[in-house]
Amino acid sequence: MLEIRNIEKYYGSKNNVTKALDRVSFCVADGEFIAIMGASGSGKTTLLNCISTIDTVSAGDILLNGENIADLSAGELAGFRRERLGFVFQDFNLLDTLTIEENIGLALSLNHADPHMVRQRIEEISVKLGIVDILEKFPYQVSGGQKQRAACARAMVAGQSLLLADEPTGALDSRASKNLLEIMTQMNREMGATILMVTHDAYSASYARRVLFLKDGRIFNELLRGERSRSVFYHEILDILALLGGDISDVI
Amino acid sequence: MTLSKLSLRNAKRQARDYLVYFVTLVMAVSFMYAFNNLIFLEEVQTLAESIAMLPLLIVLASIVVVCIIGWFVSYTTRFMLQRRSREFGTYILIGLENQQVAKLFFLENLIVGGFALVIGILLGSFLFQMMRAIILTLFDMPYKFAYTVSLRAVLLAVLYFLFIYLYAQRKSRRRIRSMKIYDLIYFEKQNEGIVIQTSKKRRKIFTASIVLGVIGTLLLLMGSAVPGILGAACIIVFLYGFFLSFASGVPAFFEKRPAGKYQGQTLLIFRTLTAKLATVGTLMATISLLFTAVLVSEGTGQCIHAILSNRAKQESCFDLFISVEAGENDYMSDYSDYIEKNVPVKEYRLYDIYLNDNTQIMDHIEKYTEYYRYYDGDTMMKFSDYAALRKMLGYPEVTPVSGTYLVHCQYYLKDIMENYKKPLPIGDSELMPGGVYTEYMNQNWSGNGHQYILVVPDEVLADRAVNHRIYAAMTVEPVSEAQYQAISSIMQRIYEESAEMEYYSSFYAGSVVKAEAASGIVMMVFPLYYLALILTMTAAAILTIQQLAETDHYKRQFVLLGKLGMDRREMAKALRGQFIIYYVMPAVPPVLISVPFIYNLGKGAEPGIMIGTSSPFMITLAALALFFFFYAVYIVLAYTGLKRNVLPE
């Protein structure tokens, strides 16, 4: 579904170029759950921003369902984000003036969905994510975990095909993190959501089916979970991180 | 870096970040200075006796203005304190004492205020010249530009300003002194708890307040004192109730229509608005109240101006105009003796006014408009007298057609009279309508008829009894105050002598009528506009400061919406929508309340006064236009500023 071909991204002026992404290539199949790991500055957020069309690449192609996103105009990109991509951010990014229900419905109204359908769609998804009870509340009245689940609901409610998550557990305590990751796994398995998650937390990454390791803008390694249990996979991730070098071990 | 240097730097930043505040302060000072300059203007004091009250009125208006600006400065200072609490917390964190921080903030505000004072006074002296020009024109006096700075006016402005600033700063000083670092650093978080609260009670208040608003407006329209005060009270309660409960009314509205809120940008616009209202509901109500006061004062000002100047036009067309009831004594000679000796006259006419045996014309007029029956018959004058008066006043000549009568009436009766085609019996003769004229000709009460007069061939009136005699003259020089007093005392004497006979006489001097109207306008209309302008500016400035303070919030919101795939055009549309509603809301109740009020006020004047450019419709329009002009300046400032900073590239 998603194909990344030799993308490069440079920052800075002529004399002082920083290579944020260096010939990165990989594919994401329909219904996959991929985690991208790396230390701060390894280029993982840049990669996510390029895929999410918020940022542009310096070279290379990003194809989503065979469509090159570099060929789209600004207006088409906005439409593309609305219809195809769902976002989950570290700091939730819910509008605090809207109730949880309205935050979820916002994605639909941006898509000019039939207003009469909105309520029904919100109900469906919030039952699945276990947030029916908090729909009437405002973001400041609910917990971080609930906010993040609401963000997941917003990311999926308009039928987006690719869910992009940037450190989704970053602001959550360990119990809420576990809960969220289980929900994401459930979304992946039962609702067929394709998920691309950026994280520097090995525990979060262990929920994915495949983990890509990024270092200095390049793909350093790739790990597949296969049929192994999550705890075995977790330890394997830790082993790779140890190989990656000291700078990441301090965040584990 | 010393404290004073830091204060100076902060002052610069404050003037930039709160440009709207600074500009409003400058404008307020300049208005205050310009108006107070009138107190010390000697020219004004010699203009008319009645204008002696002007200084008192200006000082009274200035006291109200000082209170309003005091509130404005104090509100803005508190607002800045909130916005910058983290910065102040940091000062204390790095070792400054609370007292030093308070001093820092005080100095900073003093610098900003001082600059506003100096610029305001410079600007104000030009504004004062404009006002001087207007006043001298009103009094028909030559205007010559003379740039003067009155030391006393400057001192008065400084005094007002000290009151305003010391009041505001004392409050903030106390606040800073008692603050703890934790409170300062986490001040922003404290606000966020109370974004929205919904309850049934609020919904009830919402309904009740709307009802009160309607009742209040109706009471105001009744036009008398007690219902007026009750109405004003109702409206105050309505405004506060309405804005405080509105935030809960909207969610309730959408709860019943769940589909409605997901239509287009409705959701974003209304939620932003209700969130804002929940925190600034009281402020919105206060601003709405101020706007109501602005519109009512502007409308009242327009009305007073129209009434005074239009009445004066009617009554000042002759330089001297004396009317005496006919009777056994010829009191007219008392007047003419004095005038002959003391007032050089260019041209004069002594003539008689007669009454018809019927009220045929009056009956016709009464069918179409409200008319006060002052005479028992239609008033009439001889054509020869009429022609002489027209010549004296410089109006075009009219040629008589035998068998017809002319009508000379106030402008508002023109159409009514032109539609009248019936023959008119006068004694034995019968005349046909021959034309309608509407120039000013002193046609009130005992003048040339009450609002209309019939001009008939001389011979028709030959044997008729005289109702009253009129002496109308144009003088070489405008009638002076002393001459006016002398003639008035003659009138007084006749009144006393003829007490039993009840001889009625009346007297107008064109120059005095004009001067009285002018001083009435200066005394009543100027202070009203002074207040209205200051109120508009402060209220609009506070709304704008509130709006601009949301810049970061809007920015975050639109960055997120951009990520979610909202395109720029739709964002601009949503921002515009939020903006329009934010600024329109506090203006809607004032417009709804004041439009019928002003219209009604205009209708209340005697007929024939509120016509043409000062018809009730036009003065309402003018009051609205004046208000929205100044309001729009602030809206445009805020919108361009916000759009530039908020929408992503």
Side-chain angles (χ1 to χ4, degrees), chain B residues 311-380:
Chain B
R311 262 188 210 159
K313 274 179 202 154
Q314 187 64 246
E315 290 166 358
S316 68
C317 51
F318 295 100
D319 287 345
L320 264 178
F321 188 88
I322 298 162
S323 154
V324 175
E325 210 171 311
E328 284 166 22
N329 291 323
D330 180 18
Y331 284 116
M332 191 54 100
S333 55
D334 294 33
Y335 290 107
S336 48
D337 287 350
Y338 171 82
I339 292 166
E340 223 167 90
K341 282 183 203 138
N342 300 292
V343 189
V345 166
K346 245 192 304 194
E347 211 177 326
Y348 79 93
R349 182 89 180 173
L350 188 64
Y351 59 98
D352 300 323
I353 304 291
Y354 306 87
L355 294 188
N356 202 355
D357 315 316
N358 59 54
T359 54
Q360 192 175 316
I361 302 293
M362 219 183 290
D363 297 342
H364 172 69
I365 290 173
E366 224 173 21
K367 264 187 254 165
Y368 298 95
T369 176
E370 251 174 67
Y371 181 81
Y372 181 81
R373 283 175 175 262
Y374 188 67
Y375 294 104
D376 300 330
D378 291 327
T379 42
M380 300 182 292

Side-chain angles (χ1 to χ4, degrees), chain B residues 356-358 360 380 420 423-431 464:
Chain B
N356 202 355
D357 315 316
N358 59 54
Q360 192 175 316
M380 300 182 292
Y420 191 73
L424 176 75
I426 305 171
D428 303 331
S429 26
E430 199 174 69
L431 299 175
R464 195 166 282 272

Side-chain angles (χ1 to χ4, degrees), chain A residues 54 78 81-82 87 89 93 95-99 101-102 105-106 109-110 112 115-116 118 122 138 140 154, chain B residues 192-193 195-196 255 258-259 261-264 267-268 271-272 275 553 557 560-567 570:
Chain A
I54 291 167
R81 283 200 295 275
R82 268 197 317 263
F87 294 91
F89 306 95
N93 268 337
L95 293 177
D96 48 9
T97 49
L98 269 53
T99 61
E101 182 208 308
E102 291 162 352
L106 182 66
S109 73
L110 287 181
H112 306 290
H116 299 278
V118 172
I122 297 170
F138 286 93
Y140 74 91
R154 183 182 62 191
Chain B
E192 282 175 10
V195 179
I196 282 161
E255 224 156 79
K261 72 176 162 186
Y262 293 111
Q263 198 92 54
L267 183 61
L268 275 178
R271 274 302 188 198
T272 312
H553 172 86
Q557 174 187 309
L560 173 64
L561 289 171
K563 283 182 185 168
L564 291 181
M566 195 178 202
D567 66 29
E570 289 195 338

Side-chain angles (χ1 to χ4, degrees), chain B residues 28-42 44-45 54-66 121 124-125 127-128 131 150-161 164 526 530 534:
Chain B
V29 171
S30 62
F31 273 107
M32 224 152 59
Y33 174 74
F35 274 94
N36 281 288
N37 236 320
L38 288 180
I39 300 176
F40 303 108
L41 185 68
E42 279 163 18
V44 167
Q45 282 148 15
L54 183 66
L56 181 68
L57 287 171
I58 287 180
V59 170
L60 281 178
S62 293
I63 289 172
V64 178
V65 167
V66 164
I121 287 178
S125 48
L127 207 64
F128 165 64
M131 285 181 1
S150 156
L151 189 65
R152 282 184 293 182
V154 171
L155 283 177
L156 199 58
V158 172
L159 188 72
Y160 289 143
F161 206 70
I164 292 167
F526 273 44
Y530 173 32
I534 296 278

